Amino acid sequence: MSFQFNFTIEEAESSSTECELDLESHLYSPDNVKKEISNTDKLLVENSEEQPVLTGAVNETKLMISSSKTYNDCSSSDSLAEEMPARTEPATEHKIPVDVSRVLENKILESVSGLQFVNVSVVEMTLSDKDSLSDSVVSKSIKSNSDLIPGVYEGGMKIWECTFDLIKYFDEEGVYFEGKRVLDLGCGAGLLGIEALKRKAKEVHFQDYNSTVIEEITIPNVLANCDSDNCNEYIKEEPDRKKYKKKDEKTGLLAKCRFFSGEWSQFRKLMQNETPPVTYDIILTSETIYNTSYYRTLHETFENLLTKNGIVYLATKSHYFGVGGGVHLFETYVRERKVFCTKTLKIYDDGLQRFLINLSLKNNLQE
């Protein structure tokens, strides 16, 4: 399968940072967001015949309409961020399999932007035939015909568009993570964390809501990209598709990785309870601010797990229909808490507007 991404990229006019400028015009106001939604609806109708070409990517409106939570005008972000009931079970660390060759055995692999990843449709078909799954993610998402079931499945088996925006940004700006501990938060396929490994990260942790995603998607994808030129042997099936053939395997970059599943607050507790507590120099996250109900937990995760001089890289759409979240609402939420500075790195203006922003701790900048 071949992939084509046509990006129209505009540098944010002044790469504005919240700590330096008055961002009232940039942040959320009901009238501005209504106008933006109206214009985007028109664009979606005009381009309704265009379909995503990426395996695992979905129609952009699918996530937006799959939640019963609807968009409402609110004067305060507190009312937007009513926390949904968290799962009470603790977060789980997933160990790297002893026989790593079996992880990719008979998997169908595809590639884009120099990264390998398993064909999600094949994984879904294989898992849906099994009688028992650890959390029934696949069967529930197939039955509901949805890529988002709040509190059950949070879209981790799909590769979302903004992931590639952030990868492209790292490539264009020559961003490297040498010597850094990196967290891929809400990792799904794990492509951001894999990119960090390739950019010399000292250690990368992958976290997703669902254990099935970690075991069936994330770990295989990381393995497929670990020293793939030297360690993996493939049988060509068709252009851009490869079938993995069992071979003696080295773990390569896999030795730098840890994998976790569970809700963010439980994951945070797990990391803080380690000795010494785990913190990260870089947190990478893509399309995780679609639901305003998760903002408090996400903000607390950033605040507690980021090192003093750390940076959060966040890729997001301007807004998510039906689910209610978006960049302006999240920036407002962050601004009101006065913990982080936010800075707009890039704006992608083709179709539904997309943003790359970073967050850094205010206290560190004020010292």
Side-chain angles (χ1 to χ4, degrees), residues 93 96 177-183 193-194 196-206 222 226-227 251-260 280:
E93 180 169 6
I96 298 170
F177 306 111
E178 189 169 0
K180 305 296 186 182
R181 177 184 285 160
V182 178
L183 170 63
I194 292 167
L197 284 170
K198 293 188 171 233
R199 293 179 179 275
K200 311 299 184 183
K202 176 180 68 175
E203 185 177 356
V204 178
H205 294 181
F206 297 82
V222 174
C226 288
D227 305 327
T251 57
L253 296 177
L254 205 61
K256 296 183 176 182
C257 303
R258 294 175 68 183
F259 302 89
F260 304 88
Y280 299 95

PDB file of all heavy atoms in Angstrom, residues 93 96 177-183 193-194 196-206 222 226-227 251-260 280:
ATOM      1  N   GLU A  93       2.044  -2.986  33.705  1.00  0.00           N
ATOM      2  CA  GLU A  93       3.211  -2.989  32.829  1.00  0.00           C
ATOM      3  C   GLU A  93       3.244  -4.299  32.050  1.00  0.00           C
ATOM      4  O   GLU A  93       3.035  -5.381  32.615  1.00  0.00           O
ATOM      5  CB  GLU A  93       4.513  -2.817  33.610  1.00  0.00           C
ATOM      6  CG  GLU A  93       5.726  -2.819  32.684  1.00  0.00           C
ATOM      7  CD  GLU A  93       7.020  -2.378  33.362  1.00  0.00           C
ATOM      8  OE1 GLU A  93       7.009  -2.176  34.594  1.00  0.00           O
ATOM      9  OE2 GLU A  93       8.035  -2.238  32.637  1.00  0.00           O
ATOM     10  N   ILE A  96       8.235  -7.423  27.860  1.00  0.00           N
ATOM     11  CA  ILE A  96       8.627  -7.795  26.507  1.00  0.00           C
ATOM     12  C   ILE A  96       8.681  -9.320  26.425  1.00  0.00           C
ATOM     13  O   ILE A  96       9.292  -9.977  27.272  1.00  0.00           O
ATOM     14  CB  ILE A  96       9.999  -7.200  26.168  1.00  0.00           C
ATOM     15  CG1 ILE A  96       9.924  -5.681  26.215  1.00  0.00           C
ATOM     16  CG2 ILE A  96      10.477  -7.669  24.789  1.00  0.00           C
ATOM     17  CD1 ILE A  96      11.264  -4.989  26.121  1.00  0.00           C
ATOM     18  N   PHE A 177      16.315  13.530  20.483  1.00  0.00           N
ATOM     19  CA  PHE A 177      16.026  13.288  21.899  1.00  0.00           C
ATOM     20  C   PHE A 177      17.185  12.571  22.592  1.00  0.00           C
ATOM     21  O   PHE A 177      16.976  11.790  23.520  1.00  0.00           O
ATOM     22  CB  PHE A 177      14.747  12.458  22.028  1.00  0.00           C
ATOM     23  CG  PHE A 177      13.568  13.056  21.311  1.00  0.00           C
ATOM     24  CD1 PHE A 177      13.035  12.457  20.178  1.00  0.00           C
ATOM     25  CD2 PHE A 177      12.993  14.232  21.753  1.00  0.00           C
ATOM     26  CE1 PHE A 177      11.960  13.004  19.513  1.00  0.00           C
ATOM     27  CE2 PHE A 177      11.913  14.790  21.103  1.00  0.00           C
ATOM     28  CZ  PHE A 177      11.393  14.183  19.970  1.00  0.00           C
ATOM     29  N   GLU A 178      18.372  12.846  22.147  1.00  0.00           N
ATOM     30  CA  GLU A 178      19.531  12.147  22.682  1.00  0.00           C
ATOM     31  C   GLU A 178      19.644  12.346  24.191  1.00  0.00           C
ATOM     32  O   GLU A 178      19.622  13.462  24.699  1.00  0.00           O
ATOM     33  CB  GLU A 178      20.802  12.650  21.998  1.00  0.00           C
ATOM     34  CG  GLU A 178      22.033  11.820  22.327  1.00  0.00           C
ATOM     35  CD  GLU A 178      23.207  12.173  21.426  1.00  0.00           C
ATOM     36  OE1 GLU A 178      23.044  13.057  20.558  1.00  0.00           O
ATOM     37  OE2 GLU A 178      24.275  11.564  21.603  1.00  0.00           O
ATOM     38  N   GLY A 179      19.753  11.223  24.899  1.00  0.00           N
ATOM     39  CA  GLY A 179      19.892  11.258  26.349  1.00  0.00           C
ATOM     40  C   GLY A 179      18.610  11.520  27.102  1.00  0.00           C
ATOM     41  O   GLY A 179      18.624  11.624  28.332  1.00  0.00           O
ATOM     42  N   LYS A 180      17.473  11.604  26.414  1.00  0.00           N
ATOM     43  CA  LYS A 180      16.205  11.943  27.052  1.00  0.00           C
ATOM     44  C   LYS A 180      15.359  10.698  27.341  1.00  0.00           C
ATOM     45  O   LYS A 180      15.353   9.736  26.579  1.00  0.00           O
ATOM     46  CB  LYS A 180      15.388  12.882  26.160  1.00  0.00           C
ATOM     47  CG  LYS A 180      16.113  14.151  25.734  1.00  0.00           C
ATOM     48  CD  LYS A 180      16.443  15.043  26.913  1.00  0.00           C
ATOM     49  CE  LYS A 180      17.032  16.367  26.442  1.00  0.00           C
ATOM     50  NZ  LYS A 180      17.412  17.236  27.594  1.00  0.00           N
ATOM     51  N   ARG A 181      14.622  10.773  28.448  1.00  0.00           N
ATOM     52  CA  ARG A 181      13.589   9.769  28.711  1.00  0.00           C
ATOM     53  C   ARG A 181      12.279  10.312  28.163  1.00  0.00           C
ATOM     54  O   ARG A 181      11.851  11.398  28.517  1.00  0.00           O
ATOM     55  CB  ARG A 181      13.458   9.484  30.205  1.00  0.00           C
ATOM     56  CG  ARG A 181      12.323   8.481  30.524  1.00  0.00           C
ATOM     57  CD  ARG A 181      12.154   8.294  32.011  1.00  0.00           C
ATOM     58  NE  ARG A 181      13.212   7.479  32.558  1.00  0.00           N
ATOM     59  CZ  ARG A 181      13.547   7.449  33.854  1.00  0.00           C
ATOM     60  NH1 ARG A 181      12.901   8.235  34.706  1.00  0.00           N
ATOM     61  NH2 ARG A 181      14.522   6.672  34.279  1.00  0.00           N
ATOM     62  N   VAL A 182      11.617   9.524  27.315  1.00  0.00           N
ATOM     63  CA  VAL A 182      10.458   9.987  26.563  1.00  0.00           C
ATOM     64  C   VAL A 182       9.248   9.125  26.893  1.00  0.00           C
ATOM     65  O   VAL A 182       9.352   7.903  27.034  1.00  0.00           O
ATOM     66  CB  VAL A 182      10.739   9.933  25.042  1.00  0.00           C
ATOM     67  CG1 VAL A 182       9.516  10.358  24.242  1.00  0.00           C
ATOM     68  CG2 VAL A 182      11.935  10.806  24.691  1.00  0.00           C
ATOM     69  N   LEU A 183       8.080   9.766  26.991  1.00  0.00           N
ATOM     70  CA  LEU A 183       6.811   9.065  27.167  1.00  0.00           C
ATOM     71  C   LEU A 183       5.940   9.307  25.946  1.00  0.00           C
ATOM     72  O   LEU A 183       5.698  10.454  25.559  1.00  0.00           O
ATOM     73  CB  LEU A 183       6.083   9.573  28.419  1.00  0.00           C
ATOM     74  CG  LEU A 183       4.633   9.098  28.616  1.00  0.00           C
ATOM     75  CD1 LEU A 183       4.563   7.578  28.789  1.00  0.00           C
ATOM     76  CD2 LEU A 183       3.990   9.813  29.807  1.00  0.00           C
ATOM     77  N   GLY A 193       6.641   7.303  19.723  1.00  0.00           N
ATOM     78  CA  GLY A 193       7.700   6.742  20.556  1.00  0.00           C
ATOM     79  C   GLY A 193       8.779   6.064  19.723  1.00  0.00           C
ATOM     80  O   GLY A 193       9.972   6.149  20.041  1.00  0.00           O
ATOM     81  N   ILE A 194       8.365   5.394  18.659  1.00  0.00           N
ATOM     82  CA  ILE A 194       9.326   4.759  17.753  1.00  0.00           C
ATOM     83  C   ILE A 194      10.210   5.815  17.102  1.00  0.00           C
ATOM     84  O   ILE A 194      11.427   5.640  16.964  1.00  0.00           O
ATOM     85  CB  ILE A 194       8.590   3.926  16.688  1.00  0.00           C
ATOM     86  CG1 ILE A 194       7.914   2.715  17.347  1.00  0.00           C
ATOM     87  CG2 ILE A 194       9.540   3.460  15.593  1.00  0.00           C
ATOM     88  CD1 ILE A 194       6.921   2.004  16.454  1.00  0.00           C
ATOM     89  N   ALA A 196      10.971   8.658  18.396  1.00  0.00           N
ATOM     90  CA  ALA A 196      11.889   9.120  19.438  1.00  0.00           C
ATOM     91  C   ALA A 196      13.066   8.164  19.596  1.00  0.00           C
ATOM     92  O   ALA A 196      14.213   8.587  19.781  1.00  0.00           O
ATOM     93  CB  ALA A 196      11.145   9.271  20.765  1.00  0.00           C
ATOM     94  N   LEU A 197      12.807   6.865  19.513  1.00  0.00           N
ATOM     95  CA  LEU A 197      13.888   5.873  19.572  1.00  0.00           C
ATOM     96  C   LEU A 197      14.875   6.089  18.436  1.00  0.00           C
ATOM     97  O   LEU A 197      16.093   6.040  18.623  1.00  0.00           O
ATOM     98  CB  LEU A 197      13.315   4.463  19.489  1.00  0.00           C
ATOM     99  CG  LEU A 197      12.640   3.903  20.742  1.00  0.00           C
ATOM    100  CD1 LEU A 197      11.920   2.602  20.405  1.00  0.00           C
ATOM    101  CD2 LEU A 197      13.663   3.674  21.851  1.00  0.00           C
ATOM    102  N   LYS A 198      14.342   6.318  17.252  1.00  0.00           N
ATOM    103  CA  LYS A 198      15.212   6.530  16.094  1.00  0.00           C
ATOM    104  C   LYS A 198      15.975   7.842  16.199  1.00  0.00           C
ATOM    105  O   LYS A 198      17.019   8.013  15.563  1.00  0.00           O
ATOM    106  CB  LYS A 198      14.376   6.515  14.813  1.00  0.00           C
ATOM    107  CG  LYS A 198      13.781   5.140  14.515  1.00  0.00           C
ATOM    108  CD  LYS A 198      13.132   5.120  13.140  1.00  0.00           C
ATOM    109  CE  LYS A 198      12.765   3.684  12.787  1.00  0.00           C
ATOM    110  NZ  LYS A 198      13.282   3.257  11.503  1.00  0.00           N
ATOM    111  N   ARG A 199      15.477   8.759  17.018  1.00  0.00           N
ATOM    112  CA  ARG A 199      16.138  10.049  17.217  1.00  0.00           C
ATOM    113  C   ARG A 199      16.943  10.055  18.518  1.00  0.00           C
ATOM    114  O   ARG A 199      17.092  11.072  19.172  1.00  0.00           O
ATOM    115  CB  ARG A 199      15.106  11.173  17.171  1.00  0.00           C
ATOM    116  CG  ARG A 199      14.485  11.330  15.798  1.00  0.00           C
ATOM    117  CD  ARG A 199      13.439  12.419  15.705  1.00  0.00           C
ATOM    118  NE  ARG A 199      12.955  12.482  14.339  1.00  0.00           N
ATOM    119  CZ  ARG A 199      13.541  13.183  13.356  1.00  0.00           C
ATOM    120  NH1 ARG A 199      14.619  13.890  13.619  1.00  0.00           N
ATOM    121  NH2 ARG A 199      13.061  13.168  12.132  1.00  0.00           N
ATOM    122  N   LYS A 200      17.439   8.872  18.875  1.00  0.00           N
ATOM    123  CA  LYS A 200      18.468   8.698  19.913  1.00  0.00           C
ATOM    124  C   LYS A 200      17.973   8.867  21.350  1.00  0.00           C
ATOM    125  O   LYS A 200      18.760   9.175  22.260  1.00  0.00           O
ATOM    126  CB  LYS A 200      19.651   9.650  19.698  1.00  0.00           C
ATOM    127  CG  LYS A 200      20.197   9.662  18.274  1.00  0.00           C
ATOM    128  CD  LYS A 200      20.706   8.306  17.851  1.00  0.00           C
ATOM    129  CE  LYS A 200      21.325   8.369  16.458  1.00  0.00           C
ATOM    130  NZ  LYS A 200      21.775   7.038  15.988  1.00  0.00           N
ATOM    131  N   ALA A 201      16.676   8.679  21.603  1.00  0.00           N
ATOM    132  CA  ALA A 201      16.191   8.743  22.986  1.00  0.00           C
ATOM    133  C   ALA A 201      16.886   7.689  23.839  1.00  0.00           C
ATOM    134  O   ALA A 201      17.149   6.573  23.384  1.00  0.00           O
ATOM    135  CB  ALA A 201      14.688   8.544  23.026  1.00  0.00           C
ATOM    136  N   LYS A 202      17.153   8.050  25.074  1.00  0.00           N
ATOM    137  CA  LYS A 202      17.797   7.116  25.994  1.00  0.00           C
ATOM    138  C   LYS A 202      16.841   6.007  26.408  1.00  0.00           C
ATOM    139  O   LYS A 202      17.237   4.843  26.559  1.00  0.00           O
ATOM    140  CB  LYS A 202      18.272   7.869  27.241  1.00  0.00           C
ATOM    141  CG  LYS A 202      18.879   6.987  28.326  1.00  0.00           C
ATOM    142  CD  LYS A 202      19.316   7.815  29.521  1.00  0.00           C
ATOM    143  CE  LYS A 202      18.115   8.397  30.256  1.00  0.00           C
ATOM    144  NZ  LYS A 202      18.508   9.108  31.504  1.00  0.00           N
ATOM    145  N   GLU A 203      15.567   6.360  26.574  1.00  0.00           N
ATOM    146  CA  GLU A 203      14.556   5.418  27.039  1.00  0.00           C
ATOM    147  C   GLU A 203      13.196   5.927  26.592  1.00  0.00           C
ATOM    148  O   GLU A 203      12.947   7.133  26.599  1.00  0.00           O
ATOM    149  CB  GLU A 203      14.606   5.327  28.569  1.00  0.00           C
ATOM    150  CG  GLU A 203      13.693   4.291  29.193  1.00  0.00           C
ATOM    151  CD  GLU A 203      13.857   4.222  30.702  1.00  0.00           C
ATOM    152  OE1 GLU A 203      14.730   4.935  31.242  1.00  0.00           O
ATOM    153  OE2 GLU A 203      13.096   3.463  31.332  1.00  0.00           O
ATOM    154  N   VAL A 204      12.314   5.021  26.177  1.00  0.00           N
ATOM    155  CA  VAL A 204      10.972   5.401  25.748  1.00  0.00           C
ATOM    156  C   VAL A 204       9.948   4.504  26.429  1.00  0.00           C
ATOM    157  O   VAL A 204      10.078   3.271  26.400  1.00  0.00           O
ATOM    158  CB  VAL A 204      10.795   5.307  24.217  1.00  0.00           C
ATOM    159  CG1 VAL A 204       9.364   5.661  23.820  1.00  0.00           C
ATOM    160  CG2 VAL A 204      11.778   6.242  23.502  1.00  0.00           C
ATOM    161  N   HIS A 205       8.943   5.115  27.046  1.00  0.00           N
ATOM    162  CA  HIS A 205       7.825   4.379  27.641  1.00  0.00           C
ATOM    163  C   HIS A 205       6.583   4.614  26.781  1.00  0.00           C
ATOM    164  O   HIS A 205       6.325   5.738  26.351  1.00  0.00           O
ATOM    165  CB  HIS A 205       7.569   4.841  29.075  1.00  0.00           C
ATOM    166  CG  HIS A 205       8.693   4.519  30.011  1.00  0.00           C
ATOM    167  ND1 HIS A 205       8.657   4.840  31.350  1.00  0.00           N
ATOM    168  CD2 HIS A 205       9.882   3.905  29.811  1.00  0.00           C
ATOM    169  CE1 HIS A 205       9.777   4.427  31.926  1.00  0.00           C
ATOM    170  NE2 HIS A 205      10.543   3.871  31.009  1.00  0.00           N
ATOM    171  N   PHE A 206       5.838   3.548  26.566  1.00  0.00           N
ATOM    172  CA  PHE A 206       4.620   3.607  25.761  1.00  0.00           C
ATOM    173  C   PHE A 206       3.420   3.338  26.664  1.00  0.00           C
ATOM    174  O   PHE A 206       3.407   2.348  27.402  1.00  0.00           O
ATOM    175  CB  PHE A 206       4.657   2.554  24.654  1.00  0.00           C
ATOM    176  CG  PHE A 206       5.761   2.753  23.646  1.00  0.00           C
ATOM    177  CD1 PHE A 206       7.055   2.320  23.909  1.00  0.00           C
ATOM    178  CD2 PHE A 206       5.509   3.367  22.431  1.00  0.00           C
ATOM    179  CE1 PHE A 206       8.075   2.495  22.983  1.00  0.00           C
ATOM    180  CE2 PHE A 206       6.513   3.551  21.498  1.00  0.00           C
ATOM    181  CZ  PHE A 206       7.812   3.111  21.771  1.00  0.00           C
ATOM    182  N   VAL A 222       6.887  -1.649  17.593  1.00  0.00           N
ATOM    183  CA  VAL A 222       8.219  -1.282  18.081  1.00  0.00           C
ATOM    184  C   VAL A 222       9.236  -2.323  17.631  1.00  0.00           C
ATOM    185  O   VAL A 222      10.324  -1.983  17.147  1.00  0.00           O
ATOM    186  CB  VAL A 222       8.220  -1.133  19.615  1.00  0.00           C
ATOM    187  CG1 VAL A 222       9.638  -0.890  20.122  1.00  0.00           C
ATOM    188  CG2 VAL A 222       7.316   0.020  20.045  1.00  0.00           C
ATOM    189  N   CYS A 226      12.844  -2.058  15.278  1.00  0.00           N
ATOM    190  CA  CYS A 226      14.089  -2.173  16.029  1.00  0.00           C
ATOM    191  C   CYS A 226      15.156  -2.855  15.180  1.00  0.00           C
ATOM    192  O   CYS A 226      15.085  -4.064  14.953  1.00  0.00           O
ATOM    193  CB  CYS A 226      13.865  -2.961  17.321  1.00  0.00           C
ATOM    194  SG  CYS A 226      12.946  -2.049  18.563  1.00  0.00           S
ATOM    195  N   ASP A 227      16.086  -2.070  14.700  1.00  0.00           N
ATOM    196  CA  ASP A 227      17.174  -2.605  13.879  1.00  0.00           C
ATOM    197  C   ASP A 227      16.647  -3.437  12.727  1.00  0.00           C
ATOM    198  O   ASP A 227      17.178  -4.493  12.393  1.00  0.00           O
ATOM    199  CB  ASP A 227      18.117  -3.470  14.735  1.00  0.00           C
ATOM    200  CG  ASP A 227      18.648  -2.707  15.936  1.00  0.00           C
ATOM    201  OD1 ASP A 227      18.835  -1.494  15.821  1.00  0.00           O
ATOM    202  OD2 ASP A 227      18.863  -3.329  16.973  1.00  0.00           O
ATOM    203  N   THR A 251      16.764  -8.058  20.258  1.00  0.00           N
ATOM    204  CA  THR A 251      15.794  -7.076  20.745  1.00  0.00           C
ATOM    205  C   THR A 251      16.153  -5.659  20.328  1.00  0.00           C
ATOM    206  O   THR A 251      15.293  -4.808  20.249  1.00  0.00           O
ATOM    207  CB  THR A 251      15.689  -7.135  22.279  1.00  0.00           C
ATOM    208  OG1 THR A 251      16.983  -6.920  22.848  1.00  0.00           O
ATOM    209  CG2 THR A 251      15.138  -8.466  22.729  1.00  0.00           C
ATOM    210  N   GLY A 252      17.437  -5.382  20.043  1.00  0.00           N
ATOM    211  CA  GLY A 252      17.832  -4.063  19.566  1.00  0.00           C
ATOM    212  C   GLY A 252      17.306  -2.947  20.444  1.00  0.00           C
ATOM    213  O   GLY A 252      17.470  -2.944  21.668  1.00  0.00           O
ATOM    214  N   LEU A 253      16.620  -1.980  19.815  1.00  0.00           N
ATOM    215  CA  LEU A 253      16.101  -0.819  20.532  1.00  0.00           C
ATOM    216  C   LEU A 253      15.014  -1.185  21.527  1.00  0.00           C
ATOM    217  O   LEU A 253      14.668  -0.382  22.389  1.00  0.00           O
ATOM    218  CB  LEU A 253      15.557   0.196  19.526  1.00  0.00           C
ATOM    219  CG  LEU A 253      16.570   0.808  18.557  1.00  0.00           C
ATOM    220  CD1 LEU A 253      15.869   1.729  17.566  1.00  0.00           C
ATOM    221  CD2 LEU A 253      17.660   1.558  19.294  1.00  0.00           C
ATOM    222  N   LEU A 254      14.469  -2.387  21.425  1.00  0.00           N
ATOM    223  CA  LEU A 254      13.414  -2.818  22.337  1.00  0.00           C
ATOM    224  C   LEU A 254      13.895  -2.797  23.786  1.00  0.00           C
ATOM    225  O   LEU A 254      13.102  -2.627  24.709  1.00  0.00           O
ATOM    226  CB  LEU A 254      12.947  -4.225  21.955  1.00  0.00           C
ATOM    227  CG  LEU A 254      11.534  -4.644  22.345  1.00  0.00           C
ATOM    228  CD1 LEU A 254      10.508  -3.739  21.691  1.00  0.00           C
ATOM    229  CD2 LEU A 254      11.275  -6.097  21.962  1.00  0.00           C
ATOM    230  N   ALA A 255      15.196  -2.963  23.987  1.00  0.00           N
ATOM    231  CA  ALA A 255      15.752  -2.964  25.336  1.00  0.00           C
ATOM    232  C   ALA A 255      15.608  -1.605  26.017  1.00  0.00           C
ATOM    233  O   ALA A 255      15.715  -1.511  27.246  1.00  0.00           O
ATOM    234  CB  ALA A 255      17.216  -3.375  25.289  1.00  0.00           C
ATOM    235  N   LYS A 256      15.354  -0.557  25.244  1.00  0.00           N
ATOM    236  CA  LYS A 256      15.188   0.777  25.810  1.00  0.00           C
ATOM    237  C   LYS A 256      13.733   1.088  26.147  1.00  0.00           C
ATOM    238  O   LYS A 256      13.429   2.216  26.547  1.00  0.00           O
ATOM    239  CB  LYS A 256      15.684   1.832  24.814  1.00  0.00           C
ATOM    240  CG  LYS A 256      17.168   1.769  24.514  1.00  0.00           C
ATOM    241  CD  LYS A 256      17.550   2.913  23.559  1.00  0.00           C
ATOM    242  CE  LYS A 256      19.044   2.947  23.317  1.00  0.00           C
ATOM    243  NZ  LYS A 256      19.405   4.089  22.429  1.00  0.00           N
ATOM    244  N   CYS A 257      12.839   0.136  25.960  1.00  0.00           N
ATOM    245  CA  CYS A 257      11.402   0.410  26.032  1.00  0.00           C
ATOM    246  C   CYS A 257      10.729  -0.246  27.232  1.00  0.00           C
ATOM    247  O   CYS A 257      11.136  -1.306  27.703  1.00  0.00           O
ATOM    248  CB  CYS A 257      10.713  -0.082  24.756  1.00  0.00           C
ATOM    249  SG  CYS A 257      11.372   0.625  23.244  1.00  0.00           S
ATOM    250  N   ARG A 258       9.656   0.425  27.706  1.00  0.00           N
ATOM    251  CA  ARG A 258       8.709  -0.168  28.650  1.00  0.00           C
ATOM    252  C   ARG A 258       7.300   0.132  28.138  1.00  0.00           C
ATOM    253  O   ARG A 258       7.067   1.150  27.487  1.00  0.00           O
ATOM    254  CB  ARG A 258       8.904   0.401  30.062  1.00  0.00           C
ATOM    255  CG  ARG A 258      10.236   0.038  30.689  1.00  0.00           C
ATOM    256  CD  ARG A 258      10.421   0.722  32.046  1.00  0.00           C
ATOM    257  NE  ARG A 258       9.504   0.201  33.053  1.00  0.00           N
ATOM    258  CZ  ARG A 258       9.432   0.672  34.303  1.00  0.00           C
ATOM    259  NH1 ARG A 258      10.202   1.696  34.673  1.00  0.00           N
ATOM    260  NH2 ARG A 258       8.594   0.158  35.166  1.00  0.00           N
ATOM    261  N   PHE A 259       6.367  -0.763  28.470  1.00  0.00           N
ATOM    262  CA  PHE A 259       5.013  -0.676  27.930  1.00  0.00           C
ATOM    263  C   PHE A 259       3.989  -0.763  29.054  1.00  0.00           C
ATOM    264  O   PHE A 259       4.083  -1.633  29.932  1.00  0.00           O
ATOM    265  CB  PHE A 259       4.779  -1.812  26.923  1.00  0.00           C
ATOM    266  CG  PHE A 259       5.760  -1.818  25.782  1.00  0.00           C
ATOM    267  CD1 PHE A 259       6.968  -2.503  25.876  1.00  0.00           C
ATOM    268  CD2 PHE A 259       5.483  -1.129  24.606  1.00  0.00           C
ATOM    269  CE1 PHE A 259       7.881  -2.506  24.840  1.00  0.00           C
ATOM    270  CE2 PHE A 259       6.388  -1.128  23.549  1.00  0.00           C
ATOM    271  CZ  PHE A 259       7.585  -1.815  23.669  1.00  0.00           C
ATOM    272  N   PHE A 260       2.965   0.110  28.997  1.00  0.00           N
ATOM    273  CA  PHE A 260       1.969   0.183  30.057  1.00  0.00           C
ATOM    274  C   PHE A 260       0.565   0.346  29.468  1.00  0.00           C
ATOM    275  O   PHE A 260       0.382   1.018  28.458  1.00  0.00           O
ATOM    276  CB  PHE A 260       2.251   1.374  30.981  1.00  0.00           C
ATOM    277  CG  PHE A 260       3.620   1.376  31.591  1.00  0.00           C
ATOM    278  CD1 PHE A 260       4.687   1.964  30.929  1.00  0.00           C
ATOM    279  CD2 PHE A 260       3.842   0.780  32.827  1.00  0.00           C
ATOM    280  CE1 PHE A 260       5.959   1.967  31.481  1.00  0.00           C
ATOM    281  CE2 PHE A 260       5.110   0.777  33.389  1.00  0.00           C
ATOM    282  CZ  PHE A 260       6.181   1.376  32.720  1.00  0.00           C
ATOM    283  N   TYR A 280       9.643  12.351  33.080  1.00  0.00           N
ATOM    284  CA  TYR A 280      10.039  12.318  31.671  1.00  0.00           C
ATOM    285  C   TYR A 280      10.543  13.683  31.212  1.00  0.00           C
ATOM    286  O   TYR A 280       9.978  14.723  31.551  1.00  0.00           O
ATOM    287  CB  TYR A 280       8.850  11.896  30.802  1.00  0.00           C
ATOM    288  CG  TYR A 280       8.339  10.524  31.141  1.00  0.00           C
ATOM    289  CD1 TYR A 280       7.277  10.363  32.032  1.00  0.00           C
ATOM    290  CD2 TYR A 280       8.932   9.380  30.610  1.00  0.00           C
ATOM    291  CE1 TYR A 280       6.818   9.102  32.372  1.00  0.00           C
ATOM    292  CE2 TYR A 280       8.479   8.114  30.952  1.00  0.00           C
ATOM    293  CZ  TYR A 280       7.431   7.976  31.827  1.00  0.00           C
ATOM    294  OH  TYR A 280       6.974   6.727  32.173  1.00  0.00           O
TER     295      TYR A 280
END
